[in-house]
Every structure is written in structure tokens, then in C-alpha cells.
Amino acid sequence: MSPITLTIDRKIIHAKAGDNLLKVARNNGFDIPGLCFHPKISPTGACRLCLVKIKNMRGFQTSCTIAVKEGMDVTAFDAELNEARRHMLQYLKSEHNIENDHSYHDEFRKLLENYNIYENDDEAVLSTHSCLNSPTDDTSPVLTYDPKKCIRCFRCVKACNEVQGKNVLSFTDRGIGTYIIAGLGIWKESECDGCGECIQLCPTGAIVEKPFRNLVDVNAIDKKVITTCPYCGVGCQIELWVKNKKIVRSNGVDGVSPNDGRLCVKGRFGYEYVNSPERLTKPLIRKNGELSEATWEEALNLIAEKFNTIRNTFGSDALAGYSSAKCTNEENYLFQKFVRIAFGTNNIDYCTRLCHASTVTAMIKSIGDGAGSNSIEDFENTDCLFVTGNNIIETHPVTATYVKRGVAKGMKVIVVDPRWTPLVKYAKIWLQPKLGTDIALLNGLMNVIISEDLIDKDFIANRVEGGLEAFEILKDVITKYTPEYVEKITTIPAEKIIAAARMYATAKTAMIATGMGMSQQVTGTNNVFSLLNMCFITGQIGAELCGINPPRGQNNVQGATDVGASPFNYPGYIPASNEENRRHVAKVWNVPFESLPSQPGLTTVEIAQAAYNEKIKGLYIMGENPMVTDPNLNHTEAAFKKLDFLVVQDIFLTETAKLADVVLPASSFAEKDGTFVNSDRRVLRVRKALDCPGEAREDWKIIIDIAEHMRYNIGNYNSPSEIFDEIALVTPIFAGITHERIEKHGIQWPCPSKEHPGTGTLFLDKFNTPTGKAKIYPVEYFPQNERTSAEFPFILNSGRILYHYHSATMSRRTEVLNAFVSEPYVLINPDDSQKLGIAESENVKIISKQGVLNVKAVISEEVAQGELFMPWHFAESRVNRLTRDELDPMSKIPAFKLTACRVEKI
């Protein structure tokens, strides 16, 4: 918009043509009152408090609904306007219960005070709120709605519809009796998932938080700390409220990327675990088969003795470490440094091996980088979004808000998933393939794109290694995958395959969001090669609003790998075999170059297998819970029991910690400083809000303590900021980032210098391969080894749900989240349940070659016939008792998504 000039109360103002008048006025110091307006939602004009006079316009105008124009002459304040606003406040007050328990910010009460309208004001209009019959709704686990405090400003309705895209709230009844309802009338029974956006935008206290409300006085909070959410990889910025050394509230931070104030139910209410009475507060040592409390010195001395003995007796490669996606970059960096110096091995890995290892492997081979191409905000602005194997509304809810806003503006969404997920409601096309047939489907889409000449020849010729010759090789492989042929493999109708191919290929811009439905297979790397091939032949990568994005499932999955928690790479994705880099790292670390290991180490599952074979003798686990997350858990449990020595560092006595020889009490996200890296490569600050409970310590300090007791020096640091400065020295993608630079806003890597602003979109000029060009890897479809049989007629799929997180050590210690979902279940198609005689909520037995578990049955058309789905968060029914540890040969990721099994009634 072009700049214009206007006047407000005789003051000259410069603004952009079309800007909102109320927003312009407030930005220039004119505090025009208003309760229905919020910059995150569309104007309403409902409260009538922002009235102004505009020259050559009759009567009063609601400034929130007016766009500024050149030469506009505005009167914001005079006696007549003030009196009109005062009368309007009196009328609103007459319908409003003004009682306030101070647990929320009351914008309405503040205006009443500003206009000298008090509770006993004789001029007030006769009060009517006590006559209203609309009921208070207290059924939600997260909030209370009191219609007697509601002024019908529309802010909550629009927050739900326009910001979160959920459309749960609406008005019911008429006239003075109008009030808000969720769904069909009862909040708990509605589709409300507890994100709390309505709470954050309510100006009157009509909708308030339920958890810890009795502990909150907004005027007497001890501390407010802005930090990064500890759950999924979106990296939402949250403001923690602390009272009496306890977190009592979490608010979204407006105006800051990536979430602009939006949160999901976990980000807003999932903090209770921090103050859980189950937190570990003292070291534990196993004595006579039982874990008993010990001093730190006892624990550290024992750890040093055992690890040094194992290294000296069996060699460095008899030791291994699991790092953590829940911990900061600084802690993961120190952990991998410790393993490489004190253990002397590259046997270090963490949960990325169990989620996106195949995605990263394929992307590094094809385009030289395993991170997402785009910014999270781009999910709103691209023309076409291709979502495959990713239940984005439940697993990355705030990213999904951008998707929904994009759909509202005309973006087309294609969903590929064997199971119905909530995103299907927003999709133009849903492709529902049989589990394990992804390569056939993607090859079929490319067959249509090629046969209808929808390819981008210029992109192929100029930005693909081998150009059109490489394309011809791919074309030869693709030729047989006609839509009709692919329909027989996937069961997807040929016409749907054709429509999806055309939609993606002809879009002006298109992005792909790929998830663990694609990656957690023995063909995971090939699955992603196929996705990338589709990007290359259409040119839908290497441009703004185009690319491939694997949204990360945990808060710091991206960062942990960035800083070197990998058996293959040092910090910055530089191979362990790179001698020049090892020399540079050795100099920074002040250790002999020859002492740094160069051979690739073992991955997560390989470490467990080596432990079972008694080749790994000692294991140090920081913040991971493989006794829930690893495949073939019966085998993993047997492997851990064979270890000579197991150390677990965590905040709870997890299922894994219960097997340990030493358990060390560590720090939660709220008790530490540092950084996380989110899904769009944004380095974000983490800030300390609380002290560690009891004798628990910050993770980075524990790592240094263990190293010192083992007689190894891994660095002298006074703060995580100093650790990050060292990270920047050995990690080129972080070279220009410091804690100071990201104090207010995160920076997306690569950021090669202090002057560099960061990189929003990757590959605009070239790819990060040696040639600077993308590389096509043609792949064929082959049926996977795991198949149904007469003995095991079902295929089990597993995944995450909105209300719980990873191994659920955090989320299941939060009362609000358990109020939504508190027990495990398996989804069974109605036709299958009828054949088996299984009723809703009946307990059943699921049996695979690897194990057996009992679980409640939920009858649902979300899954196809012959397929099952289970969330894997629940320790009492660990899905991974059933899964196998067969690995993708390239990425070494296990096959979580396809498990042959049978269902039996109990």
C-alpha cells in the first residue's frame, strides 16, 4: 500500500493507505477505547466504544471498521465522544457482572475506572445481568464460561474461527439473552480441544482459565519469563507466570514468530509436570537390586569408575550415549563432546533415528540438507500444500493454524494418509493408500505429471544434476506406474491420482509437509527420494513458498542433530570422516586431533542390539525413554538388562530409569537457559523461570561433573551463552548467531556471519550438494517383508495424538491433558469389529510376532478395513512391544508403521 497522510486531533499522521484507523491511531499515541477490536482478528464494530468523528462523514464512525485514506481528518477525543463512550460503557455494565477475582486481565473494568464508572455509580443504567437465564458452562477441563460477564464482543468467536481455524464457538438465543456456546451447547462435549485462544483474547473475564485460577492474582505475579514451549517442533514463544516458585500460567507471546501468540492445549496448559511431586530430586544408586538415594559425590564417583573401567578394559566402542531432543542445543553439544572425548567413540544418537532419520538421509543425498525448506508462516501463503504421513492438526497444531488460514484464502490441500485425520476436512483431495504403498503412489503421481507434460524442463535442465538425461532415467522407471496400475497396488481410484498430480504440478507454488507416516518404514529413505523426485520434475522447490518440510515432532529434534548428536556427523552435519573439520574441532576443543573418532558410530537401535550381543557394556542416557520409544521393546529390555552399567539422567523415574544402575535428577525446560531450534531452523531462546527442585541439577552441569570425575576436561563455561559461542565456532550454519542476537526474535540458520539476517527459504540460488544441483534417485516399489497372513491378518499403524507427547513422561503428569485422554486404545474399523464380535470400549488383545498387549477397542471409520491404529504414548500398553526392529538399510530407522498382528477378544 502507498503511504498517505491524515490528521487525528489536528496531529499529522503518516500511514499506509488501507490500514485500520483504530490501529493507526493507537500506534500514534491516541488511546481510543475499544473492547471488540484485536489486531489478530477482523474488525467487528460490536462494542461501539471506538467511535470517532470523520470530516465529511455523517454521525459517529467505529474507527475499528474504517480504513485510512489520504487527507482524512479525524476527531478522536472531544466532550461529545467521551460522553457517548461513557453512556455505552454504562449500558454494557448493566448487562455485566462486575465481580472480579483478579485471576485475569479485565479490559472492561479498566475502562469503567478510566471513565469514572464504579460499581455503585448512581448514573448507571439499571442492572439486568442477574435476570439473565443463560447458564455458566464449567464443563471444560481448561476453562469456565460465565455469560453474565460476556459483552458479546465476538473476540472469542473470531479467535476460534480466524486465528485457530476451529469454528467451535457461536452465539445462541436472541436479544439480551444471547450467549456463547461451544458446539451444540456443552463445552466438554464440543470439538473444543483446549487451545485457550478464546481465553487469551477475552477482554472481560467471561472466559477464564480453570487450572490454578485460585493461585493467580494478575497484580501479584512474582515473575514472568518468556521462553520456548517444550513440546513439538513449532517452537512457540510462551510467557510463564511464576507464583511462589510454581508455574501457574502460560500465555502465548503476541507479535513474535513463529506462533504470534497462538498456542495449543499442551503449550498453554501442559506445564503442570514441572512442579510434579514425582520429580527426581536426589541421585539414586542401585544397591542390592533396589534404587536408593545417594549423594552426588557417591553417584559421580561410581559413574566415573565404571565408565573408565569399561573403556580401559573393552575399548571406547564398548560405551555409548543417547542424547535428547528435549534438552537444549548447549546440553546436546556438550553431551556429544563428552561422548567423543571421554568415551572416545561416535556411538551417540537420540530419538531422531526413530522419527525423521530417513527423511534427513534422503534430503542430504538429494539436496544436501535435511532441514525444512520454508518458514512456518509459509504454510499459510503457498498455493498448494501436499501433506503426506503427517497428522499436522494434532502433531503440530500451531502450524496447522497457518494451514487453515491458507485454506480460507483459497490454498488447495492434498492429504495422503491411510488413516482419516482432521486435516482431511480441509483437503480438496484425500488419497488413502494401503499402508506401505507410498512409493507406488508417488511414482503414479509422477507418471501423470510426465505423461501430461506438466514438468518444469528449465528447472530440470538447470538445477538437476545430469539435467534432462537424469530425468529420462527416472522417466523409464516411472513409465509402468500408470494410474490404473497404481490403483491396484494402493486401492486409490485412478481419477483421484490424476487429479492430485495435476493440482500439485500446476500450482503456482507448492510445498510438501512429510511426516513419520512416510519415514518410519524400512523403505523410508526411498519414500522421501520419491517425494523429492516429484519436487524436482515440477520445479516446486528452490523458490519462495516452494519446498519440502518435515515438521519436527519434539521441541529440539532439529537442534540436537544440528549440534552433532549423531553417530555419523560432527556439529553442522560435517561427516566424522572429514579430517580437516576434525582438526579444526580438535583445536577448538583443545584435544589431540588423533583422539577424535572418525569411524561412524552405532545408531539408537544398533546400540540396543549391540548391548544385547554384549558388545556395548556401558550406556549413558540423557532425557530419553527408549523403554517406551524403541522398537521391539522386549528385545530392548533384555538388552539393557545385559549392560554392565546404565546411567539415566532425567526429571522422572521413567520406564528406562527403573532399569538403571544410577539415576541422576536433571532439569526441565523451565529450569534452564539456552536455545532450541524449531522445525523451520529458527534458533530460539530458552530462559530459566525456576530453580531445580531439591538436589536436581541443570543437564549441562551434570555432563561437566561426570567428565571431571572421569578426569577429562570438556570445557570451562560460566553460562550456556558461552557454550553457544563455542557451538558457533565449530558449526558453520550457526556462525553468526549469539544469545544476544536472538534475545527478542529467533534467527533461522544458515546464518554465516554476525551481519547476516538468517535464511527464511533454502535453496533459492543453489542446493547444498557438491555440484550445487539436486540429484534424482529413481526408486521402484516393492512390497515390504512384513505382510498379513492367516495368523496375523491386520496391519498395525502407530502415531501421536494431540493431548500427549512422545513417551508421555511430561504430558501424563499434567491433569488437564489427562482429562482429555487418559488411557490407551486401538482403532478398529466397524466391519472388522463386527466380524470379530468386538464392541466399543471392550478390552482386546493385540498379538504380533514380537509381543502381546491388552488395550481398549475404539470402533472407528478413521482406519480402513484390515488396518489398526494405536497411539504409542501409553506405558501400560506399549505399542513397541509389538513392533519389530527391522531397519531401513540407509537411514537405520526402524519400521514402526507396519506391524502384522491379530486381534483377539479377552
Side-chain angles (χ1 to χ4, degrees):
M1 294 287 184
S2 57
I4 57 99
T5 300
L6 69 154
T7 60
I8 302 179
D9 288 350
R10 297 182 296 281
K11 179 181 177 181
I12 297 175
I13 303 295
H14 300 285
K16 292 181 181 178
D19 276 359
N20 181 277
L21 174 55
L22 179 57
K23 190 174 180 179
V24 169
R26 288 180 174 178
N27 288 343
N28 285 276
F30 297 93
D31 191 16
I32 299 173
L35 292 173
C36 65
F37 177 80
H38 194 282
K40 291 166 67 172
I41 58 177
S42 62
T44 304
C47 74
R48 312 296 294 176
L49 292 171
C50 67
L51 298 173
V52 295
K53 298 175 183 176
I54 301 175
K55 190 174 181 179
N56 298 324
M57 296 181 70
R58 296 180 61 185
F60 297 155
Q61 305 295 322
T62 50
S63 57
C64 70
T65 62
I66 299 290
V68 298
K69 297 179 181 178
E70 177 65 45
M72 183 177 279
D73 187 351
V74 180
T75 300
F77 293 95
D78 66 14
E80 188 179 17
L81 285 167
N82 285 343
E83 188 62 21
R85 291 167 183 156
R86 195 169 189 278
H87 280 305
M88 183 55 66
L89 283 167
Q90 287 176 323
Y91 278 108
L92 290 174
K93 181 184 172 236
S94 73
E95 300 174 13
H96 182 83
N97 180 357
I98 203 165
E99 293 176 359
N100 185 321
D101 64 3
H102 304 292
S103 67
Y104 55 91
H105 284 297
D106 193 335
E107 297 176 39
F108 183 48
R109 187 182 184 95
K110 184 178 179 181
L111 283 178
L112 293 177
E113 292 171 352
N114 289 347
Y115 280 81
N116 296 315
I117 303 172
Y118 298 102
E119 294 184 38
N120 59 353
D121 185 4
D122 294 335
E123 300 178 37
V125 178
L126 181 65
S127 176
T128 58
H129 73 80
S130 59
C131 303
L132 301 178
N133 294 319
S134 44
T136 296
D137 192 330
D138 197 37
T139 61
S140 167
V142 300
L143 60 83
T144 298
Y145 170 62
D146 181 356
K148 293 181 175 62
K149 288 183 174 293
C150 180
I151 61 169
R152 295 172 284 280
C153 66
F154 287 87
R155 265 166 64 165
C156 62
V157 175
K158 291 195 171 187
C160 186
N161 295 358
E162 298 177 5
V163 180
Q164 290 281 343
K166 294 171 181 172
N167 300 289
V168 175
L169 303 184
S170 59
F171 286 103
T172 190
D173 282 1
R174 297 181 179 182
I176 196 171
T178 301
Y179 65 99
I180 301 291
I181 59 168
L184 296 177
I186 299 176
W187 218 292
K188 186 178 181 179
E189 297 176 3
S190 74
E191 291 185 333
C192 173
D193 60 19
C195 74
E197 194 74 41
C198 56
I199 301 169
Q200 186 153 328
L201 265 64
C202 178
T204 68
I207 303 179
V208 293
E209 289 194 16
K210 183 182 288 187
F212 302 115
R213 183 178 177 184
N214 61 316
L215 301 180
V216 175
D217 181 340
V218 296
N219 301 310
I221 296 299
D222 296 339
K223 187 191 305 184
K224 296 180 182 180
V225 178
I226 294 176
T227 189
T228 301
C229 178
Y231 286 102
C232 80
V234 175
C236 292
Q237 297 301 283
I238 58 177
E239 182 185 68
L240 298 179
W241 291 15
V242 177
K243 180 68 176 176
N244 296 331
K245 300 180 181 180
K246 184 184 183 75
I247 299 172
V248 294
R249 187 157 294 175
S250 172
N251 288 327
V253 181
D254 286 329
V256 179
S257 293
N259 56 311
D260 188 21
R262 307 168 215 190
L263 294 177
C264 75
V265 64
K266 293 193 294 293
R268 192 176 300 279
F269 298 107
Y271 52 78
E272 189 178 351
Y273 74 92
V274 173
N275 294 111
S276 168
E278 296 181 44
R279 285 288 301 274
L280 292 170
T281 59
K282 290 186 177 181
L284 304 174
I285 292 177
R286 189 170 297 279
K287 299 176 182 178
N288 300 318
E290 300 292 329
L291 287 170
S292 304
E293 290 184 357
T295 67
W296 271 100
E297 201 59 23
E298 285 178 289
L300 292 170
N301 284 333
L302 178 60
I303 291 168
E305 176 195 344
K306 292 291 188 178
F307 281 159
N308 278 333
T309 298
I310 291 170
R311 177 171 178 168
N312 294 336
T313 305
F314 301 103
S316 293
D317 289 335
L319 292 166
Y322 285 178
S323 198
S324 176
K326 301 181 188 74
C327 291
T328 64
N329 294 312
E330 293 79 4
E331 291 160 345
N332 281 291
Y333 172 79
L334 275 191
F335 191 91
Q336 62 85 34
K337 185 179 180 181
F338 167 85
V339 169
R340 290 184 162 113
I341 292 176
F343 284 1
T345 181
N346 283 322
N347 290 341
I348 174 174
D349 208 358
Y350 74 110
C351 69
T352 193
R353 193 66 44 202
L354 308 177
C355 55
H356 270 300
S358 51
T359 312
V360 173
T361 300
M363 290 173 67
I364 287 177
K365 285 178 174 290
S366 289
I367 54 181
D369 211 312
S373 310
N374 306 94
S375 299
I376 285 173
E377 294 92 334
D378 292 345
F379 280 80
E380 179 179 337
N381 298 312
T382 191
D383 293 298
C384 178
L385 182 64
F386 187 96
V387 182
T388 177
N390 192 325
N391 181 9
I392 197 168
I393 286 180
E394 293 199 70
T395 58
H396 302 86
V398 172
T399 299
T401 66
Y402 289 100
V403 176
K404 295 171 190 174
R405 285 161 64 99
V407 170
K409 296 191 296 187
M411 179 176 72
K412 297 175 181 176
V413 175
I414 301 166
V415 172
V416 181
D417 206 303
R419 179 171 73 100
W420 183 95
T421 69
L423 190 62
V424 171
K425 293 188 292 185
Y426 300 87
K428 289 288 185 182
I429 298 174
W430 173 31
L431 305 178
Q432 189 182 18
K434 286 176 62 178
L435 279 162
T437 62
D438 304 279
I439 290 172
L441 171 59
L442 291 165
N443 283 352
L445 293 169
M446 286 187 279
N447 178 284
V448 175
I449 291 167
I450 293 170
S451 63
E452 297 191 3
D453 197 26
L454 302 178
I455 64 172
D456 187 333
K457 291 182 181 177
D458 288 340
F459 185 94
I460 296 168
N462 297 313
R463 300 204 59 184
V464 172
E465 190 175 320
L468 293 172
E469 292 182 9
F471 168 73
E472 288 298 326
I473 297 171
L474 174 66
K475 182 178 178 181
D476 288 344
V477 172
I478 297 300
T479 299
K480 71 179 181 183
Y481 292 92
T482 63
E484 293 73 22
Y485 174 66
V486 172
E487 179 178 352
K488 294 177 182 177
I489 298 171
T490 66
T491 73
I492 300 172
E495 59 269 21
K496 273 195 167 186
I497 296 171
I498 294 168
R502 290 171 178 167
M503 185 176 291
Y504 175 80
T506 61
K508 186 177 180 180
T509 60
M511 286 165 44
I512 290 174
T514 180
M516 290 187 283
M518 289 287 284
S519 61
Q520 289 180 327
Q521 301 183 37
V522 292
T523 59
T525 303
N526 281 347
N527 288 349
V528 181
F529 278 144
S530 296
L531 274 177
L532 288 160
N533 292 342
M534 189 169 73
C535 289
F536 301 153
I537 67 172
T538 56
Q540 298 286 23
I541 193 170
E544 296 288 353
L545 305 178
C546 297
I548 183 168
N549 300 273
R552 304 307 195 192
Q554 290 195 69
N555 52 309
N556 203 31
V557 166
Q558 184 66 55
T561 312
D562 293 345
V563 300
S566 163
F568 310 123
N569 298 318
Y570 276 71
Y573 300 92
I574 302 172
S577 59
N578 186 313
E579 181 175 325
E580 181 183 357
N581 181 63
R582 287 203 321 281
R583 289 188 183 278
H584 169 63
V585 171
K587 185 176 180 180
V588 174
W589 289 358
N590 194 29
V591 297
F593 156 71
E594 297 78 13
S595 70
L596 292 183
S598 61
Q599 295 299 314
L602 299 178
T603 64
T604 298
V605 178
E606 289 175 328
I607 289 170
Q609 292 171 341
Y612 186 84
N613 295 323
E614 301 184 6
K615 293 180 179 179
I616 294 290
K617 302 288 186 177
L619 180 59
Y620 176 18
I621 299 176
M622 176 179 73
E624 291 289 303
N625 192 11
M627 278 308 302
V628 173
T629 60
D630 272 22
N632 197 358
L633 277 181
N634 293 327
H635 185 273
T636 300
E637 183 174 10
F640 283 5
K641 288 179 177 179
K642 287 187 175 186
L643 288 166
D644 288 355
F645 195 62
L646 172 62
V647 176
V648 173
Q649 180 174 312
D650 215 314
I651 62 175
F652 293 108
L653 191 65
T654 64
E655 290 71 22
T656 305
K658 290 174 183 177
L659 301 177
D661 296 289
V662 178
V663 179
L664 300 176
S667 51
S668 75
F669 86 109
E671 296 145 6
K672 62 182 67 176
D673 286 303
T675 56
F676 296 151
V677 183
N678 77 340
S679 290
D680 65 3
R681 301 166 281 104
R682 201 179 308 255
V683 186
L684 299 159
R685 285 284 279 115
V686 179
R687 296 177 180 88
K688 185 174 181 176
L690 298 169
D691 291 329
C692 296
E695 296 178 20
R697 296 182 182 179
E698 293 171 64
D699 291 85
W700 67 275
K701 292 181 179 178
I702 299 174
I703 298 165
I704 292 174
D705 285 340
I706 294 174
E708 288 178 348
H709 280 72
M710 290 178 68
R711 300 294 186 264
Y712 288 95
N713 179 14
I714 62 169
N716 300 307
Y717 311 97
N718 295 311
S719 68
S721 177
E722 292 183 4
I723 302 171
F724 193 93
D725 290 342
E726 183 176 301
I727 294 173
L729 291 177
V730 298
T731 313
I733 55 178
F734 286 179
I737 304 175
T738 64
H739 277 207
E740 290 72 24
R741 283 199 70 193
I742 58 173
E743 187 60 32
K744 294 184 178 180
H745 298 278
I747 294 176
Q748 291 168 274
W749 67 253
C751 180
S753 69
K754 296 293 193 297
E755 297 74 32
H756 197 282
T759 307
T761 304
L762 294 180
F763 318 125
L764 293 179
D765 300 316
K766 64 177 183 178
F767 295 98
N768 292 341
T769 58
T771 64
K773 294 186 177 183
K775 186 173 177 61
I776 288 176
Y777 286 89
V779 291
E780 290 272 14
Y781 163 74
F782 296 102
Q784 297 192 28
N785 294 331
E786 186 83 346
R787 305 179 194 180
T788 58
S789 64
E791 184 179 7
F792 301 108
F794 288 92
I795 289 290
L796 173 67
N797 186 6
S798 65
R800 293 168 289 169
I801 61 175
L802 171 64
Y803 299 105
H804 290 291
Y805 169 70
H806 206 235
S807 62
T809 55
M810 293 153 53
S811 57
R812 293 194 76 192
R813 288 175 173 89
T814 299
E815 185 177 338
V816 165
L817 300 178
N818 284 321
F820 283 97
V821 179
S822 61
E823 61 181 336
Y825 58 87
V826 62
L827 298 184
I828 302 177
N829 182 273
D831 290 338
D832 291 328
S833 66
Q834 187 173 14
K835 290 176 186 175
L836 294 171
I838 294 170
E840 178 74 14
S841 298
E842 187 173 1
N843 286 327
V844 297
K845 186 179 292 185
I846 312 293
I847 305 166
S848 76
K849 296 174 185 176
Q850 288 72 232
V852 181
L853 57 80
N854 296 338
V855 68
K856 180 181 76 173
V858 173
I859 315 305
S860 173
E861 293 183 347
E862 291 182 12
V863 291
Q865 288 187 53
E867 296 182 2
L868 310 170
F869 174 85
M870 278 190 69
W872 56 268
H873 309 290
F874 299 91
E876 62 267 42
S877 291
R878 302 181 211 178
V879 177
N880 290 324
R881 294 280 188 199
L882 305 176
T883 57
R884 67 198 192 280
D885 54 7
E886 181 185 2
L887 303 179
D888 174 359
M890 282 181 278
S891 67
K892 307 298 179 69
I893 196 171
F896 290 113
K897 294 304 182 190
L898 287 92
T899 303
C901 60
R902 68 176 181 270
V903 182
E904 294 181 358
K905 293 186 65 172
I906 295 177

